[in-house]
Amino acid sequence: MSKINIASHHPILDIQDNIIFANNGNVLACYKVLLPEIHSLSETDFEGLHSNWFQALKSLPVGTVVHKQDIYLKSSFTSEYLPNGTFLSKTTHDYFKGREYMEHQSYLFFTCPKNKGFNNPKYVNPFRKTPKGLPKELDDTIKRFLASVTDSVNYINNGAKISLEPMVSDEIMALTKEQFNGHNSDCDTDIVLDGPNVTIGNNHFDVLAINSESCFGDSVQTSKVNEHFTSDDFRFHQGFIDGLGLSLKENHIVNQIIYLDDKHQWRRQLEKKGEELKKSSNFGTQNKVILKKIENILDQVNNDDSSRIVRGHLNIIHWNGEKRELENTTSRIKAEFKELDMVPYYPCGRGRKNYILNSFPFFAPNFSNEDLYVTDLKHALCLLVNTTNYRTDRKGIVFNDREFNIPVLKDVWDKHKKRIKARNFAIFAPTGEGKSFLANNILRQYFEQGVRLVIIDLGGSYTKFASLYPEQCTVLRYENGKSLGINPFYITDNDDVTPERLEDLSIFLFELMGMGTKPKKESSVALKKILHAYYREKSDVSHSLDSFYQFVSKHKKDLLSRLQIHPEYFKIQGFLHIISEYVGDGLYSFLFGTTEDQSYRIEDKRLIVFELDEVRDNKEILSVMLKLIKTAIQRTIWKNRDERGIILFDEFAKQLKFDNVLESVEFYYQAIRKQEGAIGIILQSINQLPQNPTSASILENTQVIYSLRNEKGYGALKERLHLSSHDLDQLRSIRNNLSGKHKYTEIFIKIGKESNIFRLEVPPEVYAAYLTDGPDNKTIMELYKETGCMETAIKKFIHQKSITS
């Protein structure tokens, strides 16, 4: 039995920035690799990444060793980046804390080996020190090597999907300690080489490798079909060896090592080896197979000037505290290789130690020809892992990833507009798929982050949400025959009569008259002149629509001439005729039956819900109500342009039935640009938006898309939102799980050009808060009436459910 104590055999002599000087004379440039999210790439994306890797690496100096290392560790979710300051956020924080997932770190090492020999001995002592020690200064070879590495890194970083970040000294030392300590986090230990086994602390290690041409099947590819998500009508792709990455839910390391050799030297070697095999091809089928592979490689070398012959080595190192579990993982890795039509080599005894020890980045150049396959660089790069876990932003809305259902934060606000220029959003889903549930989840988190919300609701879906924050919210419901108490004409003093105020009032009146938000310029100027005269001449009255109507009616004979307005620019009789329905004894006069303005009631509220369920089918009243709401929002919520705010139109399709609503909403979309705000719409289908320029403008300014499952398909969504083919495949792959321990729905989320499928799993308390109908919702509302506190009602409901289940 032999031991290696890392303290007495440390492999690093010095670190300068991200450059390592190893004790064996090797010089390494070390980088962290930031990869795209798993499931986010299409077949074309994988091909593009493969091409980028090839272009970046093909010109590196002869003798360079490239080592990509992907480390996968079983971990427990800490919830450390989740908010926990409110009832619902704390239950979410606690619910997911401790959930198991695979942590993934990816690294790339460029090595300039001390020994660039073509024929390493079979076994090299990795801890053997170079006799020369640390160089005092970089020689020309090292300088050229580092300059070439910088060029390669810059090329990769200029691509859209992958980026490399230089490691710092502390990261390099921590990674070294973790690997040589066998990922035993609770103690420092030794590497024990006992017979054929490798043990570090409590962990037993094993390895399987692809180390010769005979390990490969007929072909390798940049990607393969993901059988789990693929259906009869579409194909969903994953990386070629992704099954050995996150999907292998055990502690393991994927090492892909590439030796960049001299093409001309290899041409001579291959021709010589080919001649030898031709002489012995009759002595076994294996010789014929290898001969064919060599001939194919020679054809590539001779016919493709850009080809680069390499030697390569792929291995999977895995470990476990239990030997039996180690054997189970070995079987699973073999099965995955079989799926890839590859036969791994299983080293034993001294070979196992050799593979494990020399898979540390500092020792990767130590492999001999017997441990390396020969191929073209393009072929070898198909064996790279190109995806990782879902990325979490520093702040945002909590969703769940598709692999482990752990929370990830997605910054769908994007303050610095790195991904999107407009943060407006749309939710698409048929009835019963959870639109309001998703909207509650998004808006509740925005609210708890300090965003002011205005919800225009025709379905009563936000009552429980609002009731959780009684001091900060107000719910304004329409009651038959009563006004909402919003008076657009109300002013506190003459300073309120600004050009902007007159502009807003004129638009309000034109909308009331059915002329839309974009009247002719001459008509707009005329009405603003009349409004200005009204405030100037009637400074001693309570300003209202009725008062303004009386002013125009009283002066209708000379008003236009006195204000130098051509009669064609403003039709006074038409105006008085239409407005008469809203004043005096008019049919809808109750809507404006207030002299004071009570909009101030919403000024200090951060959650305002306008519940218009009672008038959802009354075209005239709903249309006027929407105009009044718009006025109130402009006068109160949008006064502070630095305050973040969201306006949500729920059941938007039902509002679109009415004239000028679409135009009015487009006005919101234009006006919101001046604010620190966003607009959201909820639709059952994108086809509920008419095909016209106004709708096109709205969709163009909607850059965050949420879609839930739709059994009728997603063709219209793809066409009108200009989604990619992979976006469509992602949509088609949506699968919900509404039974079992972890219930979830899946959501397609597209933020600018980035898209993926996320899950929404919530704790019981949050689920109860978002329910909008059914017996459970009725029970919670009854408990709320009884207790007067929504949080208490939800807690009581959860307790009752736990007793009866």
Side-chain angles (χ1 to χ4, degrees), residues 317-481:
I317 296 174
H318 60 104
W319 62 94
N320 203 296
E322 300 291 333
K323 279 193 174 182
R324 183 176 294 178
E325 290 299 319
L326 200 68
E327 292 169 3
N328 290 338
T329 304
T330 298
S331 297
R332 288 172 56 194
I333 294 171
K334 288 178 180 177
E336 185 57 40
F337 272 122
K338 188 175 182 180
E339 286 284 318
L340 300 174
D341 191 23
M342 297 166 74
V343 180
Y345 171 70
Y346 185 52
C348 297
R350 193 176 178 188
R352 179 182 296 154
K353 302 173 193 175
N354 181 55
Y355 278 22
I356 292 173
L357 291 176
N358 285 321
S359 291
F360 295 127
F362 321 113
F363 308 143
N366 288 348
F367 286 106
S368 71
N369 279 341
E370 292 179 47
D371 308 313
L372 303 167
Y373 59 79
V374 181
T375 188
D376 180 76
L377 178 59
K378 290 179 181 177
H379 180 282
L381 291 174
C382 290
L383 305 182
L384 289 183
V385 174
N386 279 319
T387 59
T388 188
N389 277 314
Y390 280 51
R391 288 191 302 271
T392 188
D393 296 322
R394 292 184 178 179
K395 56 186 177 181
I397 304 300
V398 179
F399 296 100
N400 303 83
D401 81 343
R402 204 178 195 182
E403 283 293 300
F404 310 102
N405 275 35
I406 60 167
V408 287
L409 295 175
K410 295 312 291 183
D411 184 5
V412 289
W413 189 267
D414 197 12
K415 180 179 179 181
H416 300 293
K417 298 186 177 180
K418 294 180 179 178
R419 290 185 285 206
I420 50 177
K421 294 179 180 177
R423 53 183 65 98
N424 305 317
F425 64 93
I427 298 174
F428 300 99
T431 300
E433 288 293 340
K435 296 186 298 293
S436 295
F437 193 96
L438 174 60
N440 268 281
N441 182 64
I442 295 168
L443 295 180
R444 187 269 298 176
Q445 294 183 63
Y446 267 135
F447 174 77
E448 292 179 352
Q449 293 168 16
V451 179
R452 182 178 276 199
L453 305 178
V454 179
I455 301 171
I456 301 167
D457 181 25
L458 270 64
S461 301
Y462 304 91
T463 305
K464 290 210 301 297
F465 165 29
S467 301
L468 280 165
Y469 313 94
E471 300 301 319
Q472 301 178 70
C473 88
T474 184
V475 179
L476 300 175
R477 293 183 180 89
Y478 169 80
E479 296 179 50
N480 189 33

Side-chain angles (χ1 to χ4, degrees), residues 720-787:
R720 297 188 64 182
L721 294 174
H722 309 293
L723 302 180
S724 70
S725 296
H726 187 57
D727 291 336
L728 183 59
D729 288 344
Q730 287 176 326
L731 283 160
R732 289 166 166 172
S733 75
I734 289 176
R735 309 278 190 275
N736 295 337
N737 177 21
L738 303 179
S739 61
K741 184 179 179 181
H742 299 304
K743 301 179 182 68
Y744 60 80
T745 55
E746 290 195 331
I747 314 153
F748 169 81
I749 303 179
K750 189 174 179 73
I751 308 170
K753 294 181 180 179
E754 297 177 10
S755 67
N756 213 335
I757 300 295
F758 292 81
R759 288 176 176 170
L760 181 55
E761 179 189 342
V762 297
E765 294 85 352
V766 176
Y767 180 78
Y770 296 166
L771 279 177
T772 57
D773 53 27
D776 285 347
N777 182 60
K778 185 179 179 182
T779 301
I780 295 167
M781 295 310 292
E782 287 172 353
L783 288 169
Y784 174 55
K785 288 178 184 177
E786 176 189 312
T787 61

Side-chain angles (χ1 to χ4, degrees), residues 86-143:
T86 65
F87 168 52
L88 295 185
S89 64
K90 188 175 189 312
T91 58
T92 302
H93 176 280
D94 296 345
Y95 176 77
F96 288 106
K97 189 173 184 179
R99 179 164 294 189
E100 286 192 358
Y101 74 104
M102 295 302 297
E103 182 184 343
H104 176 208
Q105 296 294 334
S106 186
Y107 302 97
L108 189 65
F109 304 95
F110 298 89
T111 304
C112 182
K114 179 69 177 175
N115 174 26
K116 293 185 173 65
F118 208 69
N119 295 299
N120 279 336
K122 174 65 178 174
Y123 301 111
V124 176
N125 176 7
F127 295 95
R128 183 186 59 195
K129 295 184 179 181
T130 180
K132 291 186 178 180
L134 182 67
K136 292 182 179 179
E137 60 182 33
L138 300 181
D139 63 23
D140 289 341
T141 302
I142 300 297
K143 288 178 181 177

